[in-house]
Amino acid sequence: MKKVVYLALVAVMALATSCVSQHNVNRAYTPAKPDIVRMNVTMADYDYLGDVTMEVTYKRYGLITKVLTINGDAYDPRNYTVTNIDFTNRIAMSKWMRQACYKVVETYPNADYIMPVSARNEYEHMFGGRNVKEILTVKVFALKKKSVTEKAAEMEAFKAQMEAKHNNVAAENAQLKAQLQKVQEELDLQKRINEANKNAKRTR
């Protein structure tokens, strides 16, 4: 009986080892992309395109809201566009104002920077509800497009700056080399003087 149990255990172990597979796990602890991308630009790098004012009007009765107009056009709940512009959390925007933001993209499709200027809500209270008008004004900017002439001028200025730095380094190296040579000559002269003094002592 013990022999049968032993043979069974050997068979199970052999079967288990024959089913063993191998896999490798590689972990990269350095991110493949930066967490933050920073561009050192100022307002001098932008062209001002203009202002855009968006507005939404709706009626609210308790929890029921009926949108009337978006940017002056009658609201159609079956046909609308939602444009997400990531402003700061201080700019409170309703979902209907997000639908009105299409006006920015349509007016200035080449916009690169949108800055909110003012947000205003107007309320008209009535029995059982109120009329609400949301108004949001933004300033729109685009990065300056430099001409070929401007780019060539910048390149020439950069080359001149690099050549000036190279010439300064060469001049500093030449000055340092002359100083080292002068020190070496002084050391050689002192060495010869010391040897002459030693020879003079020996001949006495």
Side-chain angles (χ1 to χ4, degrees):
M1 182 66 180
K2 291 183 179 180
K3 187 175 181 180
V4 173
V5 172
Y6 177 76
L7 291 175
L9 291 174
V10 172
V12 170
M13 293 177 61
L15 181 63
T17 55
S18 65
C19 296
V20 172
S21 61
Q22 181 180 357
H23 71 279
N24 299 322
V25 178
N26 297 322
R27 291 185 175 89
Y29 293 99
T30 302
K33 64 179 182 179
D35 296 329
I36 298 176
V37 178
R38 178 176 179 178
M39 295 178 62
N40 293 322
V41 296
T42 64
M43 295 307 298
D45 299 309
Y46 289 96
D47 284 327
Y48 171 66
L49 301 181
D51 291 1
V52 177
T53 299
M54 299 154 285
E55 63 178 42
V56 178
T57 61
Y58 53 89
K59 291 184 177 181
R60 177 165 290 175
Y61 300 92
L63 299 178
I64 300 175
T65 300
K66 181 181 180 181
V67 182
L68 302 177
T69 62
I70 293 182
N71 292 328
D73 297 328
Y75 176 67
D76 183 358
R78 296 171 299 178
N79 184 14
Y80 61 86
T81 301
V82 176
T83 303
N84 291 319
I85 301 177
D86 292 330
F87 294 127
T88 62
N89 295 330
R90 292 176 297 176
I91 305 299
M93 296 178 59
S94 65
K95 62 180 181 180
W96 300 288
M97 182 56 72
R98 293 190 182 280
Q99 295 181 20
C101 285
Y102 73 86
K103 187 176 180 180
V104 179
V105 180
E106 287 187 355
T107 306
Y108 300 106
N110 60 332
D112 295 310
Y113 176 57
I114 302 171
M115 181 176 66
V117 177
S118 64
R120 186 173 78 254
N121 289 357
E122 298 177 359
Y123 301 94
E124 180 184 354
H125 296 274
M126 57 185 180
F127 181 76
R130 58 184 178 178
N131 293 330
V132 182
K133 183 176 183 180
E134 294 185 16
I135 302 173
L136 176 63
T137 301
V138 299
K139 289 185 179 295
V140 185
F141 302 85
L143 285 170
K144 289 183 177 179
K145 305 300 188 294
K146 296 181 179 178
S147 64
V148 176
T149 303
E150 291 175 335
K151 291 181 179 180
E154 288 184 356
M155 184 61 67
E156 290 298 327
F158 179 75
K159 288 173 61 178
Q161 185 180 4
M162 291 298 101
E163 290 178 359
K165 288 184 177 180
H166 177 73
N167 294 335
N168 291 336
V169 171
E172 291 176 357
N173 290 337
Q175 185 179 2
L176 181 60
K177 185 176 180 180
Q179 292 176 353
L180 291 175
Q181 184 176 0
K182 183 178 180 181
V183 171
Q184 186 63 44
E185 291 175 354
E186 292 177 353
L187 292 175
D188 292 342
L189 178 61
Q190 187 63 39
K191 183 178 180 180
R192 289 194 297 270
I193 292 173
N194 293 338
E195 290 178 353
N197 291 336
K198 288 180 180 180
N199 293 333
K201 290 181 179 179
R202 291 175 183 174
T203 54
R204 290 177 183 176

